[in-house]
Amino acid sequence: GENVEQHPSTLSVQEGDSAVIKCTYSDSASNYFPWYKQELGKRPQLIIDIRSNVGEKKDQRIAVTLNKTAKHFSLHITETQPEDSAVYFCAATDRVTGTASKLTFGTGTRLQVTL
Amino acid sequence: DAMVIQNPRYQVTQFGKPVTLSCSQTLNHNVMYWYQQKSSQAPKLLFHYYDKDFNNEADTPDNFQSRRPNTSFCFLDIRSPGLGDAAMYLCATSRDKVGREQFFGPGTRLTVL
């Protein structure tokens, strides 16, 4: 099955700086890579996703890049704000095996944006 | 407008006392998932339904069972909760087989005394 590694586990940046979180995956057949933000005690919420036929996607201050050859993808947050503080999870889709596809999550990155 | 609803939000049970958590969705999605999330960890998939087809993860303990009586509802039954089962239980839905966004419910936090 799929294995997703995520780094760093914690990240502290000053407000206004950029934050980068990196993930690698093992299954070359994976084709969907979402990023979820989870605030303390709340549900994971999708913030951006990318499919394997695209190399980069941007939504305002958030961007994701995908390198299929190297099997890694990254989340970039620019002009960070205190409300960006949360735990971020990357994920990759396990191959479809005749049932629904499944997500394998990375271990999470706790982002702290300081004033 | 809640799309994935979980009840209760907080559940306290005693060691060994069966408990049922419920999930409902207004999205009419084919797929429903149950995850267990412990503190500071990623969500861990327990099982999922594609329509009525049940798919168990290989490492999900037998203590955990699920039912999906119709498209909208899915239940997680923990037959004999142990202290190690204390966690947040998240329900999620997605539209179809191909990799799609999963919509998460707010979760049920289970405490085992």
Side-chain angles (χ1 to χ4, degrees), chain A residues 13-20 58-63 75-81 84 111 113:
Chain A
V13 299
Q14 285 198 320
E15 183 179 8
D17 288 350
S18 296
V20 180
K58 189 173 181 180
D59 182 4
Q60 299 184 336
R61 296 186 297 109
I62 296 172
L75 177 71
H76 304 253
I77 307 175
T78 58
E79 300 171 28
T80 53
Q81 300 168 4
D84 295 329
L111 174 64
V113 180

Side-chain angles (χ1 to χ4, degrees), chain B residues 29-113:
Chain B
H29 282 172
N30 310 78
V31 192
M32 295 186 78
Y33 304 84
W34 278 105
Y35 290 90
Q36 179 193 65
Q37 187 176 29
K38 296 189 176 181
S39 182
S40 302
Q41 296 183 19
K44 179 181 179 298
L45 183 64
L46 296 173
F47 25 59
H48 71 274
Y49 277 93
Y50 182 82
D51 291 331
K52 288 190 175 295
D53 292 335
F54 176 71
N55 299 275
N56 202 30
E57 292 301 295
D59 57 354
T60 298
D62 293 340
N63 199 25
F64 292 86
Q65 305 286 318
S66 186
R67 297 168 283 136
R68 189 179 186 186
N70 54 52
T71 300
S72 301
F73 284 87
C74 196
F75 300 97
L76 169 63
D77 301 308
I78 309 177
R79 293 192 298 187
S80 181
L83 298 179
D85 297 328
M88 175 76 85
Y89 289 88
L90 293 161
C91 174
T93 73
S94 70
R95 201 170 67 186
D96 56 23
K97 286 187 181 182
V98 179
R100 298 277 185 186
E101 177 181 357
Q102 289 190 16
F103 294 82
F104 283 85
T108 295
R109 181 162 297 283
L110 177 67
T111 300
V112 182
L113 301 177

Side-chain angles (χ1 to χ4, degrees), chain A:
Chain A
E2 178 68 276
N3 183 48
V4 178
E5 295 190 359
Q6 182 171 349
H7 299 283
S9 57
T10 61
L11 180 59
S12 182
V13 299
Q14 285 198 320
E15 183 179 8
D17 288 350
S18 296
V20 180
I21 303 170
K22 298 182 179 182
C23 289
T24 60
Y25 62 99
S26 61
D27 189 347
S28 57
S30 290
N31 60 5
Y32 174 65
F33 305 92
W35 285 89
Y36 284 87
K37 174 184 179 181
Q38 188 175 29
E39 297 177 24
L40 189 63
K42 297 191 176 180
R43 76 187 80 190
Q45 290 200 302
L46 182 76
I47 55 171
I48 196 166
D49 57 13
I50 192 167
R51 298 192 179 277
S52 57
N53 58 348
V54 175
E56 184 174 357
K57 184 177 178 181
K58 189 173 181 180
D59 182 4
Q60 299 184 336
R61 296 186 297 109
I62 296 172
V64 58
T65 59
L66 171 65
N67 183 327
K68 283 196 309 181
T69 304
K71 290 190 281 189
H72 66 69
F73 57 113
S74 301
L75 177 71
H76 304 253
I77 307 175
T78 58
E79 300 171 28
T80 53
Q81 300 168 4
E83 50 265 40
D84 295 329
S85 297
V87 178
Y88 291 80
F89 291 100
C90 64
T93 305
D94 210 339
R95 68 173 72 226
V96 176
T97 58
T99 63
S101 59
K102 303 181 294 186
L103 290 178
T104 299
F105 285 87
T107 48
T109 296
R110 183 173 300 276
L111 174 64
Q112 181 71 44
V113 180
T114 58
L115 297 173

